Amino acid sequence: MINTKEAIKVIYNGEYDNVLKDVYVDENVLDYQKKRYINAIEQYETIFCPDNVEIFSAPGRSEVCGNHTDHQHGKVLATSINLDTIAIASKHNDNIIKLVSDGYDMITLDINDLRINDDEAGTTVSLIRGVLKGLKDKGYKIGGFNAYATSDVLVGAGLSSSAAFEVIIGTIISGLYNDMKIDSVEIAQISQFAENVYFKKPCGLMDQMACSVGGIINIDFKNPEKPIVKKITTDFEQYNYSLCIVDTKGDHVDLTDDYAMIPSEMKKVANYMGKEVLRECDSNEFYLHLAKIREAVGDRPALRAFHFFTEEKNVQNAVDALEKGKFDEFLDAIKKSGNSSFKYLQNVYTNRDVQHQNMSIALALSESLLRTYGVCRVHGGGFAGTIQAFVHNDFVDSYKSFIDNVFGENSCHILKIRKYGGIRVI
């Protein structure tokens, strides 16, 4: 632990510059991060008091490839990014957790009461209670703490700000009470449990896994209870590309049915083939019986099944390319993934409002601009919101300028691939 006064001093004097560069990758954000950390520590002192603390970080995530395949027990490729939630935390043995998130009122929670409370569904306190319950049930030590948390993970941009928060709670408990020995995969699974059971949101595991494990990871959901997680060993920075997330300012209202229809229609195809999910189906059998499948379930479910089988290959090709250092082939796999999402999955705009196609415009503009400088694709769930682009560093500033001109200032967020998941920074 380090005293808050001392922490402010050493960060200000640059004694942790190398640590922060290692965590956040981009030297251009170093001054911002130093000010951010110092401000967070000062906020902790104001809310609580000068104290001995530890500082934790949990990143947001980006889906790289494997669009809408996890619910069919497919494969995905995801990465942590250099936007994160940080928490200034101090251990207290009074069984009480006091946590303040930037801009919100203090949450006070007694760790002796970890019962599910339906009235708390959808609230931050439900996530904390759920993570603690999951950790306790796994036999880990839990206890009270004071914490101030702040996040620069973009909300509503498909970067998993909620998963980052869940992971930061698990990481705090790991650091303060378990010597940072709780496995990152287990923290991810417990975070999903908290969101499913306590927060009452039926999410998959990809978000939590990418935030907790960190780096570029390949997840195989063939057995969703025990997903196979493989960290891809690659130095992404050597390729001189940045990850750009473009907020197209689309309206997310009333898209629930659009999202729900994707797994529903995919399962129609799987069920016709006598299986529960598409991962269990033979793609050759799908093609052989396509005429009957179209007649039985319709064309869009068939197209979405096309996407699933195509996307499984895209993920594997992207993984193989990164492992072999063939970056052009990685970019090609991402481009093909984007094309499959647009043409077959059809999650770039809602067909109930064809006059508003923010992401279609963003993709068209990006393809026209990037040419040999990168590739783009829909990001996350789709229908509104964000696209993703891998852009060569030589062209990043020009790309951002064009995008911001069309979608508004700071629509384009230039990010880096972060190699760490949930960690203790100081």
Side-chain angles (χ1 to χ4, degrees):
M1 285 196 171
I2 185 172
N3 185 268
T4 48
K5 297 295 185 187
E6 180 66 16
I8 291 172
K9 178 181 175 182
V10 296
I11 293 172
Y12 181 81
N13 289 338
E15 295 179 39
Y16 273 86
D17 281 8
N18 287 337
V19 173
L20 295 176
K21 286 178 188 176
D22 189 39
V23 173
Y24 295 101
V25 187
D26 187 354
E27 193 166 350
N28 293 323
V29 304
L30 181 58
D31 287 342
Y32 158 74
Q33 291 295 350
K34 290 171 68 173
K35 292 175 183 176
R36 178 177 175 234
Y37 272 67
I38 290 171
N39 180 68
I41 297 167
E42 290 173 341
Q43 290 294 323
Y44 178 95
E45 288 186 327
T46 299
I47 296 165
F48 301 107
C49 64
D51 204 347
N52 293 323
V53 298
E54 297 182 22
I55 303 178
F56 300 93
S57 162
R61 74 97 182 103
S62 177
E63 173 197 283
V64 177
C65 195
N67 197 209
H68 279 285
T69 57
D70 56 339
H71 49 68
Q72 297 301 300
H73 300 186
K75 302 173 185 177
V76 300
L77 186 65
T79 185
S80 52
I81 57 174
N82 63 339
L83 299 178
D84 66 344
T85 296
I86 62 171
I88 318 300
S90 179
K91 179 179 179 179
H92 289 281
N93 295 315
D94 56 5
N95 293 327
I96 300 297
I97 289 174
K98 294 181 179 179
L99 182 141
V100 176
S101 292
D102 187 23
Y104 295 90
D105 294 333
M106 179 181 291
I107 291 171
T108 301
L109 184 152
D110 188 335
I111 67 169
N112 292 313
D113 181 11
L114 300 180
R115 296 171 295 177
I116 298 172
N117 184 342
D118 291 341
D119 292 337
E120 290 179 350
T123 67
T124 302
V125 69
S126 71
L127 293 176
I128 300 173
R129 209 182 296 275
V131 171
L132 290 169
K133 174 64 172 173
L135 290 168
K136 184 178 180 181
D137 286 351
K138 292 287 186 179
Y140 294 108
K141 185 178 179 181
I142 64 173
F145 61 82
N146 292 340
Y148 173 80
T150 183
S151 177
D152 61 4
V153 181
L154 305 171
V155 177
L159 300 177
S160 297
S161 56
S162 61
F165 180 81
E166 295 152 14
V167 170
I168 201 74
I169 298 301
T171 307
I172 289 171
I173 293 294
S174 182
L176 296 182
Y177 288 98
N178 297 275
D179 300 320
M180 288 299 293
K181 292 181 179 179
I182 304 178
D183 183 72
S184 58
V185 171
E186 199 158 33
I187 288 178
Q189 292 169 328
I190 289 169
S191 296
Q192 183 200 23
F193 160 79
E195 190 154 342
N196 289 171
V197 178
Y198 279 72
F199 193 81
K200 307 294 186 185
K201 179 181 178 181
C203 69
L205 185 59
M206 179 184 69
D207 295 354
Q208 289 82 1
M209 198 70 78
C211 293
S212 186
V213 175
I216 302 178
I217 59 172
N218 177 211
I219 312 173
D220 187 336
F221 289 104
K222 185 174 183 178
N223 180 355
E225 299 300 319
K226 294 182 179 180
I228 299 171
V229 181
K230 182 172 75 169
K231 197 160 185 173
I232 308 302
T233 303
T234 182
D235 178 12
F236 200 87
E237 283 300 291
Q238 70 177 308
Y239 301 114
N240 295 314
Y241 271 74
S242 293
L243 170 62
C244 294
I245 298 295
V246 176
D247 182 2
T248 68
K249 311 296 174 65
D251 190 350
H252 287 82
V253 176
D254 295 330
L255 293 175
T256 302
D257 289 344
D258 293 280
Y259 293 128
M261 287 297 287
I262 292 177
S264 173
E265 290 186 350
M266 286 183 172
K267 285 189 175 184
K268 284 183 179 179
V269 176
N271 293 162
Y272 178 84
M273 297 179 69
K275 305 295 183 182
E276 287 296 316
V277 292
L278 287 175
R279 180 61 180 273
E280 299 171 353
C281 299
D282 185 313
S283 60
N284 291 326
E285 289 294 313
F286 167 76
Y287 297 128
L288 287 171
H289 296 93
L290 182 58
K292 292 181 178 179
I293 290 171
R294 290 181 61 200
E295 184 179 352
V297 301
D299 281 349
R300 194 169 70 172
L303 284 166
R304 286 174 164 169
F306 263 114
H307 167 76
F308 175 84
F309 296 124
T310 300
E311 192 72 337
E312 290 284 272
K313 294 177 182 177
N314 290 331
V315 170
Q316 192 59 55
N317 289 340
V319 170
D320 292 343
L322 286 176
E323 290 182 330
K324 294 175 182 177
K326 297 182 177 181
F327 199 71
D328 286 344
E329 292 182 12
F330 166 76
L331 293 177
D332 183 62
I334 302 306
K335 182 177 181 179
K336 289 177 178 176
S337 172
N339 287 338
S340 180
S341 290
F342 205 154
K343 293 190 294 186
Y344 309 145
L345 182 63
Q346 300 182 7
N347 69 328
V348 172
Y349 63 93
T350 173
N351 58 18
R352 292 180 289 108
D353 185 12
V354 296
Q355 295 306 318
H356 292 92
Q357 295 193 38
N358 300 49
M359 289 199 298
S360 304
I361 294 293
L363 290 168
L365 176 61
S366 295
E367 286 190 352
S368 177
L369 291 170
L370 292 173
R371 300 179 185 270
T372 61
Y373 288 102
V375 296
C376 60
R377 52 154 292 177
V378 60
H379 183 247
F383 298 111
T386 59
I387 71 161
Q388 170 193 95
F390 286 95
V391 183
H392 196 281
N393 290 339
D394 290 345
F395 193 68
V396 162
D397 290 340
S398 296
Y399 178 72
K400 176 176 171 57
S401 177
F402 275 105
I403 291 294
D404 286 353
N405 184 57
V406 174
F407 294 100
E409 188 176 358
N410 294 323
S411 296
C412 179
H413 303 276
I414 303 170
L415 309 178
K416 294 292 185 180
I417 303 298
R418 163 172 155 157
K419 58 187 174 184
Y420 301 111
I423 58 170
R424 177 168 53 196
V425 181
I426 300 175

